[in-house]
Amino acid sequence: QESTFEYEVFRNNKIIGHTVVNGIKSSGKVTYRVSSEIRLTIIKEFIFRSFEETVFEKGVMTFSSVQRTLNGQKKSDRTTRLINQVYQVVNEEENKRFHSVLVMHCTNSLYLNEPVNQGQIYSEHYQQWLNISPVNAHSYKLTLPDGNYTFYHYQNGICNKIEIYQTFYNASLKLRKQGQERMNVPISLSY
């Protein structure tokens, strides 16, 4: 089973990029792939590209990778890998192992799975647990470590809008083709 969803990225009511989310489910394994490209001009053009992949086996996250570039130069390259029930975290600054509760939900899974009854979500980028809380029916607030936050809005179990609030900018992602949720189904982590 495979589903693909496309989002347009908006800032100041202008499209500045796109995000494509693929969910692939086969024989006890779920893989999420999230690719983004954003072009922003402030005196000069900035091109931000991101590729993220997260793998779950039998409902448990076993691998995640986040690679981000700005104008072709690497900005982040982070992995989290489950080895003998212990997560190994590698990023630009450190390589460490930590015992943790097994990861069952993460930020990439938020695109295709509404976080009903979840209090925390693992962030593949921040490599830590983040608080998530409902704000009303089918809408949730994810609080980032720096105090910024993101709202996720759902329709039929699919995230159809994301609102990003940062210190220096706000942006939003909107599901590109309304009706995609009828053609594609959420890739559930349950088996």
Side-chain angles (χ1 to χ4, degrees):
Q1 179 184 2
E2 182 171 350
S3 293
T4 300
F5 295 85
E6 296 180 32
Y7 295 84
E8 293 177 324
V9 181
F10 290 85
R11 183 172 185 261
N12 298 330
N13 296 319
K14 292 183 182 178
I15 297 173
I16 61 168
H18 63 276
T19 296
V20 177
V21 179
N22 292 81
I24 304 160
K25 185 174 186 176
S26 65
S27 62
K29 185 175 177 180
V30 174
T31 302
Y32 296 100
R33 292 188 181 121
V34 180
S35 301
S36 298
E37 180 176 293
I38 297 169
R39 293 175 179 264
L40 185 61
T41 302
I42 304 173
I43 301 175
K44 71 173 199 165
E45 184 176 54
F46 295 94
I47 302 170
F48 170 81
R49 289 189 175 103
S50 172
F51 179 75
E52 302 181 23
E53 182 175 59
T54 307
V55 178
F56 286 82
E57 294 182 36
K58 297 182 180 173
V60 175
M61 188 186 86
T62 57
F63 174 80
S64 76
S65 171
V66 176
Q67 298 171 350
R68 296 181 177 178
T69 62
L70 179 62
N71 291 343
Q73 295 191 355
K74 185 177 7 177
K75 285 296 176 189
S76 64
D77 188 359
R78 302 174 180 197
T79 59
T80 303
R81 187 181 313 271
L82 184 63
I83 301 171
N84 297 324
Q85 304 299 315
V86 176
Y87 284 103
Q88 179 178 5
V89 174
V90 178
N91 60 43
E92 306 79 39
E93 300 164 1
E94 62 187 343
N95 180 347
K96 67 178 182 178
R97 298 170 68 97
F98 68 92
H99 293 274
S100 178
V101 175
L102 294 177
V103 175
M104 307 294 201
H105 301 278
C106 65
T107 52
N108 281 339
S109 67
L110 289 175
Y111 288 99
L112 304 181
N113 295 280
E114 186 172 346
V116 178
N117 299 321
Q118 298 300 312
Q120 291 193 315
I121 297 287
Y122 182 76
S123 168
E124 298 93 315
H125 173 71
Y126 291 106
Q127 296 178 310
Q128 66 184 54
W129 292 96
L130 302 180
N131 291 327
I132 191 162
S133 57
V135 290
N136 56 43
H138 309 292
S139 294
Y140 303 83
K141 180 181 181 180
L142 181 70
T143 305
L144 305 178
D146 57 10
N148 292 316
Y149 52 92
T150 303
F151 289 104
Y152 290 81
H153 305 280
Y154 293 82
Q155 183 176 14
N156 299 324
I158 303 292
C159 184
N160 63 351
K161 183 178 179 184
I162 299 170
E163 297 173 281
I164 302 165
Y165 294 93
Q166 298 282 324
T167 303
F168 298 108
Y169 72 93
N170 298 333
S172 63
L173 282 78
K174 295 178 185 173
L175 190 60
R176 186 172 184 191
K177 296 177 185 174
Q178 295 302 320
Q180 276 193 102
E181 60 271 22
R182 286 186 217 97
M183 297 183 300
N184 292 295
V185 295
I187 300 293
S188 171
L189 293 173
S190 60
Y191 294 91

